[in-house]
Amino acid sequence: MNQDYIQPNNWSIIEEGFDAERVKSSESIFSIGNGAMGQRANFEEQYSSETFQGSYIAGVYYPDKTRVGWWKNGYPEYFAKVLNAPNWIGINVSINGEALDLANCKVIKNFRRELNMKEGWLSRSFEATLHNFIEVKVETKRFLSLDMDEVGAIQYHVTPLNNEAKIVFAPYLDAGITNEDSNWDDKFWNTLSVKFEGEQAFIESHTMKTKFHICTFMQSQVSLNGKKLNQEKTINDTVDSIEFQYQNQVNKGDTITLTKFGGYTTDRNHDKDELKSIAKENLTKASALGFNALLENQKEAWAKIWEMADIAIEGDVKAQQGIRFNIFQLNQTYLGKDARLNIGPKGFTGEKYGGSTYWDTEAYCIPFYMATKDQDVARKLLTYRYNHLEKAIENAKKLGFKNGAALYPMVTMNGEECHNEWEITFEEIHRNGAIAFAIYNYHRFTGDYSYIPEKGLEVLIGIARFWQQRANFSTAQNKYVILGVTGPNEYENNVNNNWYTNYLAKWCIAYALENIEWVKENYDSDYTRIMNKTKLSTTEMEQWKKVADTMYFPYSEKHHVYLQQDGFLDKELITVVDLDKSQRPINQKWSWDKILRSPYIKQADTLQGFYFFEDHFTTEELKRHFDFYEPFTVHESSLSPCVHSIQAAKLDRMDQAYSFYLRTSRLDLDDYNKEVEEGLHITSMAGTWMSIVEGFGGMRVKNDMLSFEPKIPTQWKAYSFKVNFRNQILKMNVAQGSATFELSGTDELKILVNGKKVTVAPNNLMTV
Amino acid sequence: MNQDYIQPNNWSIIEEGFDAERVKSSESIFSIGNGAMGQRANFEEQYSSETFQGSYIAGVYYPDKTRVGWWKNGYPEYFAKVLNAPNWIGINVSINGEALDLANCKVIKNFRRELNMKEGWLSRSFEATLHNFIEVKVETKRFLSLDMDEVGAIQYHVTPLNNEAKIVFAPYLDAGITNEDSNWDDKFWNTLSVKFEGEQAFIESHTMKTKFHICTFMQSQVSLNGKKLNQEKTINDTVDSIEFQYQNQVNKGDTITLTKFGGYTTDRNHDKDELKSIAKENLTKASALGFNALLENQKEAWAKIWEMADIAIEGDVKAQQGIRFNIFQLNQTYLGKDARLNIGPKGFTGEKYGGSTYWDTEAYCIPFYMATKDQDVARKLLTYRYNHLEKAIENAKKLGFKNGAALYPMVTMNGEECHNEWEITFEEIHRNGAIAFAIYNYHRFTGDYSYIPEKGLEVLIGIARFWQQRANFSTAQNKYVILGVTGPNEYENNVNNNWYTNYLAKWCIAYALENIEWVKENYDSDYTRIMNKTKLSTTEMEQWKKVADTMYFPYSEKHHVYLQQDGFLDKELITVVDLDKSQRPINQKWSWDKILRSPYIKQADTLQGFYFFEDHFTTEELKRHFDFYEPFTVHESSLSPCVHSIQAAKLDRMDQAYSFYLRTSRLDLDDYNKEVEEGLHITSMAGTWMSIVEGFGGMRVKNDMLSFEPKIPTQWKAYSFKVNFRNQILKMNVAQGSATFELSGTDELKILVNGKKVTVAPNNLMTV
């Protein structure tokens, strides 16, 4: 780990003491979001030192012109960027004419920040002495409402401690913002109007090129010692900002408070012409409720989420804090309400990685959302890809594929590819396999087959077509090979016959064929519609089958393992423990070519295949492959430790599983990768959930039943989690030496525990 | 070919008729240069339509900030750009107040452009009717002096044809220029002063960052019907430009002429403070001589070059024009006067490809310069790399090599790498081998061993160290392998065991060891100096030897050929003739990944090895490899046809050899690659020379003797060339059925003709 200033606490993330060096790190960690918008934990008042300002609206992006060194045919022209949105949280504060600015105080005491995950709010308090010798106490609380997801609320209290003082609150809206990371210094926003009415203000603006229209809004109210003041304000507006100024002489010990509601309405959800009137409705409703009532609603809404999604760990506060932080951030990012949205790798916490959707969603996030929400949420995530199928076909066409072959983008916001390293964009094609696997996984877990005839099968056909065309027959091997790919281990580029990719390709084709057959037999009208649409012929399916049946897999007779790719054994096979520590992380210490030539693995690659297709291999085979590959794995991807934790647990290596668990669950809190300033690793957080539920809990679906092989790290007293399995809620509590099951509802549930079938009766603790 | 408007002519490049579509193409083709500076054939007068303005000073570059999509450790931060220099050729012309502008005339007749290669000048003439109905005849001539290589001269005649007219000449200097292709829109030049004295003007400026100081200068003189006028002028100057205006009422049929001398002095050659005074001396000397005398000197200087370098072809004007154009452009680019300079792939004809030095110099250009100049010129080119050895060691160190291992840059201006595709910069390491081969080639041809103890051996040691460290032992192969490389065929990236690279690596080590031994025995003090400097130990040399002796080479037992790289036979081996024509060129029609997966070869790769090390293989082996690889070769690199032409000739396939010859010699004149607008392919022009001398003439050095196997395409009556072999000038004239040798000087020369030793007596034709 690289930092340890976060206080261990079961339900909150707490920072104590002010350190300017930690500001950007904390801005990421204390981020708040409600699925529709989110923001870094920037201070409301002016902060004149190093900060990374960020406020993001779900689905609002900008197609920045792609910047590349050397153009390659097939690169996307635009790169969809996560877009910094207008600032509505700003409240400048001046005290006897001096700006309150934590970068510029004489003394700062008792600085404390808390992200209360149980209730979904962020608070901050401190005492500051200004250069004018006035000492004030400041307390703020802020949240983004889950109930009214276009609205956020802030309460900002100032108490002069050593003297009376003239205190000016200046809440503002600012649409003159930029992105940290713009390729061509383009302007991204156009301001259309700046307006105010009474205590409300509105800025209408739209993104350039994409023309997303939004209205940013605020309303403010000043109170003294809890009593509302009706007072005059000064209004300052510019072409892209507006500020209200409220001036008050405040006695020593009295508390002056600014309550601010704000947020965005967007034409993604409303008619463009109604953005301001709906903004006004939002403000009127929120202010009528008031800050406290809205906060109570917030607590209830979060309680409902936790009721289903919480994982409780006894006896290990840091592990507890880690998993809750992960579950909290996932829910802040995506709540499954909108099929146009997805789970960005940085959520609403930073700009890095353009686009919102990676294969992370299918490979890592879907299990979490399937088990902790209504199954409709996972179906929305699948539908997202179905809605992008045409664009995936276009994308493949650009690269020379034909006849409806689909290559899903590596990174996207709207279905178009927006990454531009050839070795990734053009070659990291295993993503297609994860998308097909998610369909299989969804059906396996939810039992809902209807998605496949309705939507999924078309996706499976486009993907199978791609694999068939992407493979070629090698007369030398007398098999089909897949040349020029990058596997999940991005520390290898343009390799031939990546085992994971070849295995997925074969499986995708077989799975598509199996479902075509099933739909043909059971969903006549869907079958006819799909065949008419895709013009799939028997000849084509025979070609698919030939490729799948004759796929080549690199294998080492000597080591009895599948090889990550052709030629892997030509490398200098020095394990990670024998690597000088000064050389780590290799992605910071080594040139790219040295990394590529090395045997070091960024994240599970062959083992990712063993994770997806566990049933296809014996535990002995898993052990052999784990023992062969893990020693070369540097885990420099956030997605690496979780899969290894699950497999270590399966192999009864609980110490190793626990250490991988800590690494995945506290990756950002403890900043393992020295980059938390840039934002959080949202998608890998779902992997943390998997490493408890699938790893320690051993949860699988077998023969249409939930199956568990409960284990527990020696460091823990107990842990528990719930899963929603086909609309039945089952809770498992694992203690040292026992596991207890508890089922809600009215129907019993047959499950497997350590391979033995047991029946759980509803509302009745069952211990095994 | 893609264009055929260039008139066939033995000694000139001629364009007739004005076509705006051809302007940028002709600007490249009619470029002029004198080794110290060069320029595209931009019009002197205003031209308001599509044009690519370019004027370049040898060795003056700009380190533009590297633009990459995704940074990789080890990338250079700066990219040395060929820099567009201030414009000194400009002469605006106004006629009765209307600007003369070929993009904006009523009628243009008899437009003719000639690049006279024999005499080294560029002319242009046309008759234009302006919108004000004045018809004028314009004739211009321009050259860059070989004698006074800081000076160029222009004569610009205007004759009103249908009426008298007020004609204003406005010769100017303009330092407010930009590059076509700037990464970050940085400004590259700072103007320091704009001055004039009498008819002379001077702009002193310096490049930003690199701080190259230059003085751009001009002097002008107006004459009427050949008689000098002493007249008033108007002077317009801005912060970075200066213009003189000469106004004259000219009678119908009278000719008014502006003579302009101009050019650059730079602090690469002079003290910074003397740039203006030396500019003044240049102008004074040139104008005292006058345009005509300077032009006579130019003709003499070019006659001297042609005397040695010309290749005459009888019976095939297009072939003749092609080879002369190639020889002419090579001599315009590099004359071997300055060891700090090198041969940029676009010479002085465009900006594309930053940096001036590629492996092209060693692999393609050195044979031409060795045979057509004093051997001192080739030695300068070798010394260039010796002078960059420290930077090559630094470069390797950045990538993780140690102990004095040297990796020369793929592209450079000053020894630093300035390319930033990882698959090239980090992996196209065979360049190191070409640099070692050039040392061998130089010694073989010139017999001058002294370069090796003095300089070359240190280079060889650095290179051998690199290869030993870059290879690794594969326990699977029980051999040393070289992983993750890009061969000369850049349509493969990050492959394992590129045969050419492995072969070069082995050879480099063996050659270094052989020379260490020789220097040890014969150059005692050099040996001691080098061993002290390099700290080379016996243990290290033993490690080298182990790598060289145990190098792995991919081989196909089935096809009896070395494989271009591991896994080549897994590709879909469809030959180029079976590829749909609509798919060509694949670098424009296919996505990068499709190219990489295909078997198609951009330029000689395995065959490049057979070219370098011809003696190591039988003709039968060459034939087998040629027949295996050429059918997959798309020749989309300018460097491809020449090597294939030489090998086809060796295999007695004269039709194929001839067709490759035409393609290499007229690549730019006929614009085979649809890109001549961007500039000429200078380095491949040396390959054209090789395809006649080594291909048709069969010239080699064997046992310290020149050896010939003369052949001649059926399309030709005869051809002849001269070579300077160890200070003896031998001319060979090949006709259908005979070859004649003629030797200058006083000593006889033993040569091999078709394997038979013959003695050529001086000044005595000998026919075989």
Side-chain angles (χ1 to χ4, degrees), chain A residues 517-721:
Chain A
E517 205 49 41
W518 188 260
V519 170
K520 186 179 179 179
E521 281 167 25
N522 300 284
Y523 297 83
D524 195 41
S525 72
D526 285 313
Y527 181 76
T528 311
R529 175 180 54 77
I530 293 167
M531 289 301 119
N532 284 338
K533 189 168 170 188
T534 58
K535 314 252 181 300
L536 185 63
S537 69
T538 320
T539 329
E540 195 184 344
M541 285 189 280
E542 277 160 12
Q543 284 173 321
W544 295 5
K545 200 167 164 348
K546 213 162 108 187
V547 170
D549 289 349
T550 332
M551 184 62 78
Y552 162 84
F553 298 105
Y555 187 79
S556 163
E557 296 292 346
K558 181 176 167 195
H559 301 89
H560 302 292
V561 295
Y562 290 107
L563 290 176
Q564 186 178 273
Q565 74 256 0
D566 279 349
F568 185 79
L569 292 179
D570 282 338
K571 290 167 179 276
E572 212 160 12
L573 297 171
I574 299 168
T575 57
V576 177
V577 290
D578 288 328
L579 198 60
D580 190 339
K581 277 211 170 57
S582 70
Q583 306 291 298
R584 305 274 311 276
I586 63 172
N587 67 9
Q588 288 174 24
K589 301 297 174 67
W590 283 7
S591 69
W592 189 241
D593 81 304
K594 191 165 178 182
I595 290 174
L596 290 178
R597 281 181 283 129
S598 82
Y600 301 118
I601 300 171
K602 188 183 174 196
Q603 69 184 90
D605 190 298
T606 308
L607 293 180
Q608 181 74 31
F610 274 74
Y611 169 68
F612 274 172
F613 303 109
E614 194 184 58
D615 295 346
H616 301 195
F617 307 98
T618 64
T619 305
E620 184 49 40
E621 282 175 307
L622 171 65
K623 184 174 172 302
R624 210 154 56 224
H625 286 78
F626 191 91
D627 287 344
F628 186 77
Y629 287 111
E630 199 287 325
F632 298 115
T633 306
V634 287
H635 304 290
E636 291 176 9
S637 156
S638 67
L639 299 171
S640 191
C642 54
V643 170
H644 288 87
S645 180
I646 295 168
Q647 292 179 333
K650 182 172 163 112
L651 296 171
D652 282 323
R653 298 171 180 182
M654 291 301 287
D655 278 354
Q656 206 178 5
Y658 177 73
S659 127
F660 281 129
Y661 165 77
L662 271 196
R663 184 163 174 165
T664 178
S665 69
R666 297 189 62 87
L667 180 71
D668 290 320
L669 293 176
D670 297 342
D671 198 13
Y672 276 83
N673 288 357
K674 289 197 189 181
E675 54 181 19
V676 73
E677 290 187 355
E678 296 171 350
L680 305 175
H681 296 84
I682 299 297
T683 46
S684 74
M685 293 179 172
T688 303
W689 179 90
M690 297 195 306
S691 64
I692 294 187
V693 175
E694 302 181 7
F696 303 149
M699 185 178 87
R700 303 288 187 276
V701 179
K702 291 186 176 172
N703 304 327
D704 261 3
M705 278 179 291
L706 275 185
S707 162
F708 298 90
E709 299 193 9
K711 294 174 185 174
I712 182 167
T714 53
Q715 292 84 347
W716 298 357
K717 272 199 199 153
Y719 67 96
S720 65
F721 58 84

Side-chain angles (χ1 to χ4, degrees), chain A residues 427 429 466-474 479-485 494-506 509 547 551-553 566, chain B residues 570 597:
Chain A
E427 299 208 333
I429 52 178
F466 172 81
W467 287 121
Q468 182 252 310
Q469 293 174 36
R470 187 58 160 76
N472 70 274
F473 190 73
S474 160
K479 297 258 184 188
Y480 280 89
V481 293
I482 302 184
L483 306 180
V485 305
N494 194 41
V495 301
N496 293 337
N497 295 307
N498 170 261
W499 178 82
Y500 172 74
T501 304
N502 287 23
Y503 200 85
L504 265 183
K506 179 191 170 82
I509 291 177
V547 170
M551 184 62 78
Y552 162 84
F553 298 105
D566 279 349
Chain B
D570 282 337
R597 282 181 282 130

Side-chain angles (χ1 to χ4, degrees), chain A residues 355-482:
Chain A
S356 70
T357 315
Y358 290 63
W359 67 291
D360 304 25
T361 295
E362 283 78 13
Y364 296 88
C365 298
I366 278 187
F368 168 77
Y369 283 102
M370 278 198 303
T372 67
K373 306 267 178 219
D374 288 347
Q375 71 183 41
D376 167 57
V377 170
R379 193 174 165 124
K380 277 210 184 76
L381 287 170
L382 299 190
T383 301
Y384 179 94
R385 295 293 193 177
Y386 176 72
N387 292 339
H388 289 172
L389 177 59
E390 281 316 306
K391 287 196 170 151
I393 291 173
E394 259 176 57
N395 184 39
K397 208 168 162 187
K398 269 186 216 160
L399 302 185
F401 298 90
K402 50 197 178 184
N403 192 26
L407 175 60
Y408 279 90
M410 187 66 197
V411 182
T412 194
M413 194 64 96
N414 61 359
E416 288 166 36
E417 176 64 79
C418 64
H419 190 97
N420 56 32
E421 289 174 300
W422 64 264
E423 60 274 21
I424 305 294
T425 309
F426 299 157
E427 299 208 333
E428 201 174 335
I429 52 178
H430 67 81
R431 61 198 185 239
N432 247 11
I435 289 163
F437 182 82
I439 295 174
Y440 163 76
N441 202 12
Y442 170 81
H443 172 228
R444 176 174 63 173
F445 191 83
T446 65
D448 169 25
Y449 193 78
S450 71
Y451 178 75
I452 294 180
E454 284 172 32
K455 297 175 173 166
L457 188 57
E458 290 175 54
V459 172
L460 294 176
I461 289 171
I463 287 174
R465 282 178 153 157
F466 172 81
W467 287 121
Q468 182 252 310
Q469 293 174 36
R470 187 58 160 76
N472 70 274
F473 190 73
S474 160
T475 47
Q477 305 285 0
N478 203 26
K479 297 258 184 188
Y480 280 89
V481 293
I482 302 184

Side-chain angles (χ1 to χ4, degrees), chain B residues 694-739:
Chain B
E694 302 182 6
F696 303 148
M699 184 177 92
R700 303 285 188 277
V701 178
K702 292 187 176 171
N703 304 327
D704 262 2
M705 278 180 291
L706 274 186
S707 162
F708 298 89
E709 300 193 9
K711 294 172 186 175
I712 181 168
T714 53
Q715 292 85 346
W716 296 359
K717 273 199 201 155
Y719 68 94
S720 65
F721 60 82
K722 280 186 184 167
V723 291
N724 170 4
F725 183 69
R726 305 185 179 184
N727 304 320
Q728 286 185 282
I729 313 291
L730 180 71
K731 181 175 180 178
M732 175 162 87
N733 190 315
V734 182
Q736 296 290 348
S738 73

